[in-house]
Amino acid sequence: MKLIIFFFCVRFVCSERHTFTIAYTEINGQTIAGFPEISAVTTLDGHQIDYYDSVTKKLIPKQDWMRYASEDIWEEYTEIRERVQQINKINITVLMQQLNQSHGVHVYQRMYGCGWDDETNESDGFDQHGYDGEDFITLDLKELRYISALPQGISTVMKWNNDTEQLELLKQYCDKDRIDWIKYFLTLGKEALTRRVSPSVSLIQKNPFSPVVCHATGFYPSAVNITWLRNGEDHDEDVELGEFLPNEDGTFQKTSTLNIYPDKWKKDQYVCVVEHEGMTIQKNLTEDEIKRNKTLSTWW
Ligand SMILES: *[C@@H]1O[C@H](CO)[C@@H](O)[C@H](O)[C@H]1NC(C)=O
Ligand SMILES: *[C@@H]1O[C@H](CO)[C@@H](O)[C@H](O)[C@H]1NC(C)=O
Ligand SMILES: *[C@@H]1O[C@H](CO)[C@@H](O)[C@H](O)[C@H]1NC(C)=O
Ligand SMILES: *[C@@H]1O[C@H](CO)[C@@H](O)[C@H](O)[C@H]1NC(C)=O
Ligand SMILES: *[C@@H]1O[C@H](CO)[C@@H](O)[C@H](O)[C@H]1NC(C)=O
Ligand SMILES: *[C@@H]1O[C@H](CO)[C@@H](O)[C@H](O)[C@H]1NC(C)=O
Ligand SMILES: *[C@@H]1O[C@H](CO)[C@@H](O)[C@H](O)[C@H]1NC(C)=O
């Protein structure tokens, strides 16, 4: 789905263009209990910085450095989330009527924000609406009008385009104030956003007969490759790649499990290879390298 892909692709490191995005997601009623009807995620250059939802009604920082942001912005941002939440609530019902849907689970998404180039000082804004994963209404800021991707959106677009006052406001949305906020966040998060932390790698076995897990942890950014070599050659049989997991401190961890018996890996030479940010860390699979649960292994 286009909207989601867009905000995951923006990367800080490779460009001077910065992007500040707020994305709202609404799922209509009678959904799974405990799942928020409305949630909002703010990202800066593709990194999530806060989270809000209609259950907790609190703005939660998602980066350590966000905790140092001023009190004012927390209040202001929480208020904005609450206000947009009210507007969205009306919309999903209106949309269901327009699309002749009487029931079912539907998802409405709005993503808006600003881009700013720190070299040219040029800024621009965007405002995109999606429904059930499809583009619905998009703002064309150059032409200063909204465009509907679906015929059912045309009446809404006509209404919005008629409101020249509101459109002028949108044009100025990414003005000096907003850019000052982007700068403020960038300064606050600079160290965090540009940091590089190498993984620490260990080989773990629950007991002497269980599969060997190659565990890489504490690395940032998240791109990593974990592979195995057998006698110097790529080995991908009996290998199970684990999932990415975030650590408390914003770094990541990932595992790769080698499902073979000790008599096999003691006969051949197996090596776990972890690649991260151009660096390669290798762990030879030997009895000495393996970390085992002390308590468990003595018990065995
Ligand atoms: C969403 O609700 C607001 C406020 O009622 C309204 O101005 C807007 O046109 C609605 N949007 C859609 C897509 O119905
Ligand atoms: C909406 O659905 C009803 C019942 O299926 C149908 O009779 C009606 O023609 C539909 N209206 C539109 C605008 O598609
Ligand atoms: C557009 O705005 C004018 C006055 O501001 C109003 O008379 C007209 O009905 C509006 N048209 C639509 C499609 O909302
Ligand atoms: C950058 O643009 C803003 C208005 O968008 C302006 O207020 C500011 O002075 C400009 N900064 C520089 C360094 O040109
Ligand atoms: C992982 O491997 C692929 C394919 O060999 C390569 O393109 C990519 O750059 C590697 N990623 C890292 C983080 O080393
Ligand atoms: C790991 O194995 C390679 C041969 O595959 C060997 O050259 C290297 O010295 C070994 N490293 C350690 C730390 O034993
Ligand atoms: C070791 O045992 C403890 C307690 O039984 C457990 O929490 C931990 O996950 C185990 N570690 C490994 C590597 O299996």
Side-chain angles (χ1 to χ4, degrees):
M1 143 162 201
K2 207 172 159 208
L3 290 183
I4 301 241
I5 290 166
F6 177 84
F7 78 81
F8 279 124
C9 288
V10 189
R11 286 291 299 271
F12 171 73
V13 210
C14 35
S15 81
E16 282 77 38
R17 190 175 187 276
H18 303 289
T19 314
F20 185 79
T21 302
I22 305 173
Y24 288 89
T25 302
E26 183 188 354
I27 299 180
N28 65 330
Q30 320 123 43
T31 42
I32 319 108
F35 200 82
E37 211 173 330
I38 293 169
S39 56
V41 164
T42 310
T43 57
L44 174 63
D45 295 345
H47 301 267
Q48 182 178 356
I49 62 174
D50 66 38
Y51 174 82
Y52 172 92
D53 71 44
S54 50
V55 175
T56 61
K57 292 193 165 53
K58 279 200 186 96
L59 193 61
I60 298 157
K62 283 289 171 182
Q63 299 280 344
D64 275 346
W65 51 269
M66 275 295 279
R67 292 175 219 280
Y68 306 114
S70 81
E71 289 274 324
D72 292 356
I73 112 154
W74 288 106
E75 271 174 36
E76 188 189 332
Y77 277 36
T78 310
E79 265 171 39
I80 294 172
R81 302 289 181 280
E82 276 163 4
R83 213 160 44 220
V84 177
Q85 179 185 322
Q86 289 310 316
I87 295 170
N88 276 14
K89 214 171 162 53
I90 299 161
N91 278 333
I92 204 154
T93 322
V94 170
L95 277 167
M96 280 174 71
Q97 283 164 5
Q98 284 174 355
L99 297 168
N100 209 10
Q101 296 162 330
S102 56
H103 61 281
V105 176
H106 300 283
V107 184
Y108 178 81
Q109 284 178 298
R110 178 184 181 193
M111 189 180 76
Y112 66 94
C114 296
W116 171 63
D117 190 317
D118 65 10
E119 250 171 28
T120 60
N121 195 29
E122 272 166 22
S123 63
D124 56 19
F126 47 88
D127 185 10
Q128 297 174 337
H129 299 250
Y131 187 65
D132 284 349
E134 304 278 349
D135 283 350
F136 182 52
I137 293 174
T138 309
L139 174 66
D140 180 343
L141 207 60
K142 280 210 185 75
E143 301 286 330
L144 208 55
R145 66 191 174 101
Y146 279 99
I147 296 162
S148 175
L150 295 178
Q152 288 89 345
I154 288 171
S155 61
T156 307
V157 158
M158 274 168 69
K159 203 170 79 193
W160 290 357
N161 285 344
N162 202 23
D163 193 345
T164 39
E165 218 173 291
Q166 178 67 20
L167 285 171
E168 280 303 327
L169 276 179
L170 281 169
K171 200 177 180 179
Q172 287 157 29
Y173 178 77
C174 297
D175 62 0
K176 186 171 174 305
D177 285 353
R178 203 77 40 186
I179 290 164
D180 281 348
W181 276 120
I182 295 182
K183 286 184 193 164
Y184 173 75
F185 286 131
L186 281 170
T187 316
L188 214 56
K190 188 169 179 133
E191 208 183 312
L193 292 180
T194 55
R195 74 188 158 145
R196 295 271 172 284
V197 196
S198 295
S200 56
V201 180
S202 29
L203 299 173
I204 302 168
Q205 220 185 358
K206 275 210 184 94
N207 65 61
F209 308 106
S210 50
V212 180
V213 177
C214 184
H215 181 237
T217 188
F219 54 91
Y220 190 94
S222 62
V224 75
N225 283 338
I226 308 183
T227 50
W228 290 89
L229 294 176
R230 175 173 165 262
N231 298 331
E233 310 225 330
D234 285 340
H235 179 86
D236 44 27
E237 281 161 48
D238 317 305
V239 169
E240 207 179 303
L241 211 54
E243 294 199 16
F244 261 114
L245 292 173
N247 290 324
E248 277 285 305
D249 62 359
T251 62
F252 296 92
Q253 57 169 296
K254 196 179 171 80
T255 58
S256 176
T257 304
L258 184 66
N259 280 309
I260 60 171
Y261 288 108
D263 60 328
K264 259 186 154 179
W265 61 252
K266 278 178 182 154
K267 211 171 62 198
D268 291 315
Q269 160 109 69
Y270 285 87
V271 182
C272 175
V273 183
V274 178
E275 288 173 291
H276 182 260
E277 292 291 308
M279 242 183 66
T280 305
I281 299 168
Q282 298 201 348
K283 283 278 171 194
N284 291 2
L285 176 48
T286 58
E287 194 63 42
D288 293 348
E289 280 287 354
I290 292 181
K291 285 182 189 159
R292 233 171 251 140
N293 211 327
K294 291 269 162 42
T295 44
L296 260 181
S297 57
T298 40
W299 188 77
W300 267 85

